[in-house]
Each structure stands twice: as C-alpha cells, then as structure tokens.
Amino acid sequence: PAAPDPNAPALERVQSLAYDAMDAQGRRQIQLARRALAISRDCADAWHVLARRKRTVEGAVELLRDAVAAGDRALGPEVFEREAGHFWGLLPTRPYMRARLDRAQTLEGLGAIDEAIAHYRELLRLNPGDNQGVRNLLVVCLLEERRHAEAESLIGQFEDAGGADWAYAAALAAFQAAGDSTTARERLQRALAANRHVPPLLTGERPLPDPPASYILGSPAEAAIVADLLLEAWTDTPGAV
C-alpha cells in the first residue's frame, strides 16, 4: 500500500493505516495496526485488528473493549447524541460499530449473555436500520435464554424483515410463550412456506452442513444458515422440535 499522506489530518492518516492493516496478512497486520496506534490511540479499527490476532478469546475481548472505547473517544458525545438512529450511514461511525458488534459476539461466546444482549440492543438503538444484521444475533440470544416476551417485542420491531430465519424465530417465540397454540401453528406454517428445508435439519433427519457463503431464499443453502442460527434454541425448548 502507498504511504499515508503526511499532510493529511492525523485521524485520516491513522484510518488509512488501519485499512491497510485490515487488508494485510500475517505480521504485517500487527505492524501496521501498531503504527496507527502510535499516531493515535483513538483508532478503533487498529485495536480491532490486534484483537483478531489474539490467540485467546479472553485476550481478544479485552482489546475489543479498547477498540470500542477508542471509537467512542474518536466520535465524541455530540455525535452519539445528534446521530443516534442514523449510525452506519456515517462512515466515521463504522469502526466503532464494527468493534462493538465483534465485542458483543465475543462476549456471547464467553457466556456473558446479558452483556452481549446489552451491546446488541445499543447497536440497534444507534442504527435501527440494522445494516449489520444485529437483530438475528439478538433474537437467538433471547430465544436461547427463554426471554420470549423480549423476543416477541424484537420480532414486532422488525415484522417486515422477511426471510426464513425470522419466520422460524417467530414460530419458536410463540411456542415458548404459549406452547402448541394457534399462533405458534400459524407462524410455523408461514415458516414452512418460507423454507421447507429447515425442519429436517432441526430434527436431525439431515446432518447440519457448514453455512454457505451465499444463498437464495427458500433454498437448502438458506436452510443451513437458519438451522445454524436457531438449532440450539429449538432443541433446548422442550417440545418445540
């Protein structure tokens, strides 16, 4: 990559280095990220790169905390107050949003579910358009924790989301709330209409394949993604499968 322009503003030069680090491989990633942080400690993407190079999840989550704090400082309180609801549409907010989402997922992986849920909720408050797909991660957490009332509220917030993942999540939320009810059966029928390939993966009739890189609606590839997201929530809910 070309050397950053020394006449550019500091954070702009730092972000250029961070992008180079994100595109680099091996030790070069670490070197570029550290160069960025030597100029400014407020570069969330540089911290994020270092976090992804950590060998332990515990080490990664600490660096992701630094990444989120850096993004917070770089944006400043006025941006959070003025632009809440419009994040992600603003390029300078994206390093912060990327870092906070990765931190939430890492905390979830460590079993800190309540902390992860709080991060997911804040990401949706800042960006209700949900360009990052946070709602899918949040609804899975809520269903796995049997917090079906909160899951119902989230499903209502994104009732036009579409997709089989949302349809199967909605069916499970209804079943958790009231068992084999009319609402649960109606939602299950809508889920089956959205993708009929999901049930064999939930029941174990077919082995769960690796999630594909892409898919079309209603396809077996989409079903693999739906089952990968929701299998644990379904199987841990007595009677659901």
Side-chain angles (χ1 to χ4, degrees), residues 65-147:
R65 180 189 61 189
D66 293 335
V68 172
D72 200 333
R73 292 192 303 270
L75 293 172
E78 290 184 3
V79 171
F80 282 88
E81 182 176 348
R82 185 178 67 246
E83 303 296 346
H86 306 286
F87 271 51
W88 197 259
L90 305 171
L91 287 177
T93 68
R94 294 187 183 183
Y96 170 85
M97 298 291 279
R98 284 191 288 265
R100 189 153 194 180
L101 177 57
D102 217 1
R103 177 164 168 76
Q105 290 181 276
T106 305
L107 286 166
E108 182 185 345
L110 287 171
I113 305 301
D114 288 342
E115 285 185 74
I117 286 173
H119 283 292
Y120 290 144
R121 288 196 183 283
E122 180 62 6
L123 286 163
L124 286 175
R125 185 187 74 83
L126 292 170
N127 180 38
D130 193 24
N131 305 74
Q132 296 173 285
V134 173
R135 63 180 178 267
N136 302 90
L137 303 171
L138 176 55
V139 79
V140 169
C141 282
L142 295 173
L143 291 171
E144 288 180 354
E145 293 296 300
R146 304 295 296 277
R147 291 161 65 165

